[in-house]
């Protein structure tokens, strides 16, 4: 059986069953708009002006494969802001795409419950030498064998140039042509589903990139000077003419979920989405997505995940059935920052907020999720950050030790395996993979890749200089960015070698040291899948955690009516006496001696043990 999917949008180019294509553009700042087909500017067709700034044209002269642009009265030809594909990059014409051209094979796929999620974040361009969707597809067996259950792509929205992280996208509906065609992306997702792997996409709704965004030329009210973000004037979610803007992004979420069958979305830096209206656009988006997805495919699992520096716990609540009416979870930077400061001793930049009493802060993160729950941030000059989160389930948090930000925003792009001894890395990895929070790995982490992951772009001239200077200001509290001599050693983001040097080295996986790490991760993931995941439906928000003898964290997660999951971790350089062995069955230890030592009231340095008792341990 095969099925074809599409998402019907109130804008853009929509192919119809009668052989026509409807073009629709919101351009309230312009008196007229013309449609240019296949570069024929001299034959541009006037579009019909409709109410509220809309222009429309239906024609039988633009089948799938036709290149088109919208022409403004001054002659400027711009791409479609809802373009489904840009074969000549962001400044070129858009392509009419028939979304039903791809025949899906795995049509019974309905996703997986959130509790089963083990995320794996990757950059399509750096995951393989090919740097394409097909390249990722050919590595799906590796990911399935590793045991992760969900792949998460960095943003795919079309950005200027041939290389970039994706956060400077300007055409949110067009998967970047540097990685392949829309059908190649669909085939990748389809085959991932065939291996029981979910696929997530990172989307950016807080700003547009600095090159290739033409919205202001024909829709000035898409942005507002009433609010400002680090990128300038904010997107207009709450002022006059905000309705088409809100619909643009809500439809984008539905488009990726319905037309490409993504299983989840990760929303970038939502603290920079400013909306003083009610309901907040994030609330409306989540409620609309959940309603429409359920109407279209009852029982389908779709997961919505936030990145939110503000630690807004109210966006992560569960209903009486333990289901999220809005957002499923949030990336827990507090866990990462505390764990990183603890194992590395680093104090610069935002680690200033986590380096002191780091064992206590890590215990708080294991117990409550957020470390900052309305507390003043020293790094932000005493700014109050966060909301109380102890009432949230552990599954409302995505924990990680590495990701694109935390590796790539280091001056030299070093991975954690290059910064700390193996015993420390093994211990902290066991902690984050065996706790009830949802874990996420970063590509290559599973074999302790030696390759860095650097920040890279493909800008030129003054824009390239501005990007370099902007990063220096953003990370000025890190010595490598503030010291002139140290800055000389930082790889140039715009050099192709910086991008190429960030690609994974798959030949290294079979080398003994890397193969050992891969085996370690697989063992932990199997333990999580078989022993931790079955318990998650029983775990509530009444967990406890404490620090004993300065370095030993003991965390308990009760399992409903009886029993509990217990983690004991000595995250210190010296053995500790006087630590009692927890009740229950040992389900993992970082070394064969840990359980025996605990029975004798002792735990070694950088040692971790996990026990389960009562319900769900059979």
């Amino acid at each position: 059986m095969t099925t074809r999917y599409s998402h019907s949008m109130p804008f853009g180019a929509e192919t119809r069953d009668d052989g026509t294509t409807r073009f629709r553009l919101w351009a309230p700042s312009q008196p007229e708009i013309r449609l240019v087909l296949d570069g024929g500017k001299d034959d541009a067709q006037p579009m019909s002006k409709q109410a509220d700034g809309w222009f429309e044209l239906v024609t039988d002269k633009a089948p799938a494969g036709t290149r088109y642009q919208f022409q403004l009265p001054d002659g400027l030809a711009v791409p479609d802001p809802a373009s489904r594909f840009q074969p000549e990059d962001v400044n070129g014409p858009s392509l009419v795409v028939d979304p039903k051209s791809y025949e899906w094979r795995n049509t019974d796929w309905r996703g997986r419950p959130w509790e089963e999620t083990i995320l794996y974040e990757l950059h399509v361009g750096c995951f393989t030498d090919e740097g394409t969707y097909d390249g990722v597809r050919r590595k799906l067996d590796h990911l399935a064998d590793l045991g992760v259950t969900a792949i998460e792509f960095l943003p795919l929205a079309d950005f200027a140039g041939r290389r970039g992280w994706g956060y400077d996208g300007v055409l949110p509906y067009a998967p970047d042509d540097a990685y392949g065609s829309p059908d190649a992306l669909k085939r990748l997702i389809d085959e991932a589903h065939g291996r029981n792997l979910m696929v997530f996409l990172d989307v950016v709704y807080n700003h547009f990139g600095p090159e290739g965004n033409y919205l202001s030329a024909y829709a000035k009210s898409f942005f507002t000077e009433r609010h400002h973000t680090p990128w300038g004037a904010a997107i207009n979610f709450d002022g006059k003419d905000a309705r088409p803007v809100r619909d643009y992004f809500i439809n984008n979420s539905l488009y990726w979920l319905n037309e490409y069958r993504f299983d989840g979305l990760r929303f970038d830096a939502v603290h920079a989405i400013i909306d003083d209206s009610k309901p907040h656009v994030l609330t409306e988006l989540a409620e609309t997505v959940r309603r429409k997805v359920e109407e279209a495919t009852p029982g389908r699992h779709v997961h919505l995940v936030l990145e939110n520096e503000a630690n807004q716990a109210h966006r992560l609540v569960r209903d009486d059935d333990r289901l999220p009416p809005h957002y499923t979870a949030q990336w827990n930077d507090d866990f990462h920052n505390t764990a990183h400061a603890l194992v590395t001793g680093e104090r610069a930049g935002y680690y200033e907020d986590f380096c002191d009493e780091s064992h206590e802060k890590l215990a708080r993160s294991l117990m409550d999720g957020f470390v900052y729950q309305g507390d003043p941030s020293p790094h932000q000059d005493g700014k109050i950050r966060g909301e109380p989160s102890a009432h949230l389930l552990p599954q409302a948090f995505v924990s990680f030790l590495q990701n694109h930000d935390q590796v790539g925003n280091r001056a030299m792009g070093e991975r954690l395996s290059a910064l700390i001894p193996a015993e420390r890395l093994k211990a902290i990895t066991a902690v984050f993979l065996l706790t009830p929070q949802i874990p996420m790995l970063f590509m290559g982490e599973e074999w302790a890749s030696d390759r860095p992951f650097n920040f890279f772009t493909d800008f030129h001239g003054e824009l390239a200089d501005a990007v370099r200077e902007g990063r220096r200001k953003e990370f000025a509290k890190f010595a490598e960015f503030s010291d002139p001599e140290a800055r000389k050693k930082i790889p140039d983001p715009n050099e192709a070698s910086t991008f190429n040097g960030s690609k994974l080295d798959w030949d290294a996986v079979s080398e003994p040291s890397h193969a050992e790490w891969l085996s370690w991760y697989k063992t932990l993931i199997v333990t999580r899948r078989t022993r931790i995941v079955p318990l998650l439906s029983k775990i509530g928000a009444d967990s406890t955690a404490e620090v004993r003898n300065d370095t030993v964290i003991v965390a308990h997660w009760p399992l409903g009516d009886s029993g509990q999951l217990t983690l004991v971790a000595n995250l210190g350089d010296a053995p500790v006496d006087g630590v009692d062995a927890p009740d229950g069955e040992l389900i993992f230890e970082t070394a064969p001696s840990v359980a025996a030592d605990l029975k004798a009231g002792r735990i070694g340095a950088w040692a971790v043990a996990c026990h389960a008792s009562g319900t769900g341990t059979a």
Side-chain angles (χ1 to χ4, degrees):
M1 176 181 177
T2 61
T3 302
R4 304 167 190 265
Y5 296 106
S6 67
H7 173 66
S8 179
M9 298 186 292
F11 37 70
E14 293 278 291
T15 56
R16 295 178 169 180
D17 292 339
D18 63 1
T20 63
T21 300
R22 183 224 65 197
F23 295 89
R24 202 159 189 259
L25 176 72
W26 185 58
S29 302
Q30 294 293 346
E32 62 181 53
I33 298 291
R34 290 176 173 267
L35 178 68
V36 177
L37 298 178
D38 287 328
K41 292 185 179 181
D42 293 338
D43 298 321
Q45 304 174 53
M47 299 180 70
S48 173
K49 187 172 184 177
Q50 301 181 329
D52 302 321
W54 288 96
F55 293 83
E56 183 173 309
L57 175 67
V58 178
T59 177
D60 59 2
K61 298 181 177 3
T66 302
R67 301 189 182 208
Y68 69 99
Q69 293 170 294
F70 297 118
Q71 188 178 64
L72 310 187
D74 64 0
L76 177 65
V78 301
D80 184 351
S83 168
R84 280 181 163 90
F85 194 54
Q86 291 292 120
E88 299 177 36
D89 209 2
V90 297
N91 297 307
S94 304
L95 189 76
V96 176
V97 172
D98 178 5
K100 294 183 178 180
S101 64
Y102 182 80
E103 297 184 6
W104 292 78
R105 270 65 176 174
N106 293 287
T107 55
D108 292 334
W109 176 259
R110 293 294 182 271
R112 299 180 65 156
W114 177 244
E115 287 76 12
E116 296 179 3
T117 304
I118 304 173
L119 284 159
Y120 185 99
E121 189 194 29
L122 66 85
H123 182 280
V124 172
C126 290
F127 189 60
T128 64
D129 283 339
E130 302 102 302
T132 63
Y133 302 127
D134 284 342
V136 177
R137 182 172 54 80
R138 284 188 276 270
K139 294 296 184 184
L140 288 175
D141 287 339
H142 167 85
L143 297 174
D145 186 57
L146 173 62
V148 298
T149 61
I151 310 164
E152 181 171 314
F153 298 142
L154 269 67
L156 301 178
D158 204 28
F159 55 85
R162 307 302 294 172
R163 52 188 183 272
W165 278 13
Y167 295 92
D168 282 327
V170 292
L171 295 167
Y173 289 81
D176 198 282
D177 71 300
Y179 306 138
S181 68
D183 280 3
L185 174 57
K186 291 174 182 178
R187 184 182 178 194
L188 164 58
I189 296 168
D190 197 4
E191 293 198 12
H193 290 166
R195 291 168 173 80
N196 210 22
L197 292 168
M198 295 183 286
V199 188
F200 288 54
L201 178 64
D202 198 335
V203 294
V204 182
Y205 295 166
N206 50 48
H207 79 292
F208 289 83
E211 181 182 342
N213 173 25
Y214 294 93
L215 281 162
S216 293
Y218 52 85
K220 289 184 172 62
S221 51
F222 204 99
F223 302 93
T224 176
E225 292 290 344
R226 292 181 302 106
H227 303 305
H228 284 269
T229 72
W231 306 279
I235 294 172
N236 176 26
F237 288 111
D238 60 1
K240 183 179 180 296
D241 288 340
R243 185 70 261 164
V245 178
R246 294 167 77 98
D247 288 343
Y248 180 80
F249 290 103
I250 292 171
N251 271 279
N252 187 253
S253 291
L254 289 166
Y255 164 80
W256 290 118
L257 294 169
N258 291 335
E259 194 158 300
Y260 281 86
R261 312 303 291 170
F262 279 100
D263 301 282
L265 301 174
R266 181 263 195 187
F267 298 86
D268 177 67
V270 299
H271 52 271
I273 294 176
I274 306 172
D275 182 5
D276 292 334
S277 66
K278 292 185 183 300
H280 192 286
V281 65
L282 288 173
T283 300
E284 182 184 357
L285 186 153
E287 291 177 350
T288 303
V289 164
R290 294 201 179 281
R291 183 181 71 255
K292 288 187 174 294
V293 167
E294 180 63 21
E295 288 173 355
T297 313
R300 181 183 172 197
H301 296 284
V302 164
H303 311 300
L304 307 178
V305 181
L306 299 174
E307 180 197 29
N308 190 355
E309 188 181 85
N311 281 3
Q312 294 172 311
H314 71 273
R315 300 200 182 282
L316 306 173
V317 296
R318 296 298 200 266
D319 62 20
D320 292 340
D321 295 321
R322 296 170 62 103
L323 298 174
H326 297 121
Y327 292 90
T328 315
Q330 177 179 316
W331 275 24
N332 193 2
D333 283 311
D334 284 11
F335 174 88
H336 167 272
N337 294 347
T338 305
H340 186 94
L342 192 157
V343 298
T344 65
E346 292 183 4
R347 306 178 63 87
Y350 45 78
Y351 295 124
E352 177 185 2
D353 286 351
F354 303 91
C355 57
D356 296 324
E357 299 180 334
S358 55
H359 287 83
E360 287 77 10
K361 288 175 179 173
L362 187 61
R364 189 182 197 193
S365 184
L366 293 176
M367 180 172 59
D368 294 346
F370 296 143
V371 173
Y372 281 81
Q373 303 178 34
D375 306 285
S377 161
H379 175 64
Q380 300 183 46
D381 300 319
K383 176 183 176 182
I384 299 300
R385 176 172 171 258
E387 299 173 358
S389 58
H391 61 290
L392 297 175
L393 297 178
Q395 301 95 291
F397 304 94
V398 175
S399 61
F400 46 87
L401 297 176
Q402 302 177 72
N403 65 23
H404 73 276
D405 268 332
Q406 306 298 350
V407 177
N409 282 327
R410 298 182 66 82
M412 305 305 293
E414 309 102 322
R415 295 169 178 271
L416 192 56
S417 54
L419 302 175
I420 60 174
E423 62 176 3
R424 294 191 183 195
L425 184 55
K426 283 190 171 185
I428 199 65
T429 301
V431 169
F432 110 94
L433 279 172
L434 297 178
T435 58
Q437 295 184 18
I438 301 300
M440 182 177 73
L441 281 63
F442 181 57
M443 61 177 195
E445 175 182 344
E446 71 273 26
W447 75 78
S449 173
D450 295 326
R451 293 278 180 91
F453 182 76
N454 285 297
F455 179 73
F456 47 82
T457 59
D458 192 13
F459 297 134
H460 307 279
E462 293 182 0
L463 181 55
D465 294 336
V467 169
R468 292 189 198 97
E469 187 57 33
R471 283 180 61 76
R472 289 172 184 173
K473 289 180 179 179
E474 183 179 0
F475 301 106
K477 290 190 176 182
F478 289 91
E480 297 90 338
F481 287 94
S482 59
D483 180 80
E485 289 302 314
R487 278 205 305 262
K488 294 178 181 178
K489 300 177 183 178
I490 299 175
D492 185 341
N494 290 291
E495 290 291 335
S497 58
T498 303
F499 166 67
N500 291 327
S502 299
K503 290 176 178 280
L504 290 181
D505 178 9
W506 285 91
D507 291 336
V509 179
S510 59
E511 295 175 3
S513 61
H514 295 296
E516 182 180 341
W517 275 112
L518 182 59
S519 176
W520 174 256
Y521 272 84
K522 284 183 178 181
T523 300
L524 278 166
I525 289 171
V526 166
T527 302
R528 178 178 185 86
R529 187 178 70 245
T530 59
R531 307 308 304 270
I532 306 293
V533 169
L535 305 179
L536 294 184
S537 63
K538 302 177 176 68
I539 293 177
D542 51 349
S543 57
T544 61
E546 62 178 322
V547 179
R548 301 177 185 173
N549 302 85
D550 297 329
T551 63
V552 180
I553 296 175
V554 180
H556 301 286
W557 295 274
L559 303 174
D561 296 334
S562 63
Q564 63 184 3
L565 177 69
T566 301
L567 184 82
V568 180
N570 179 12
L571 303 179
D573 291 323
V576 172
D577 294 315
V579 180
D580 296 331
D583 296 332
E585 177 191 0
L586 175 74
I587 60 176
F588 191 86
E589 58 184 336
T590 51
S593 60
V594 178
D597 285 347
L598 276 172
K599 288 181 180 178
R602 189 171 193 266
I603 185 169
W606 302 103
V608 178
C610 189
H611 291 71
S613 63
T615 59
T617 61

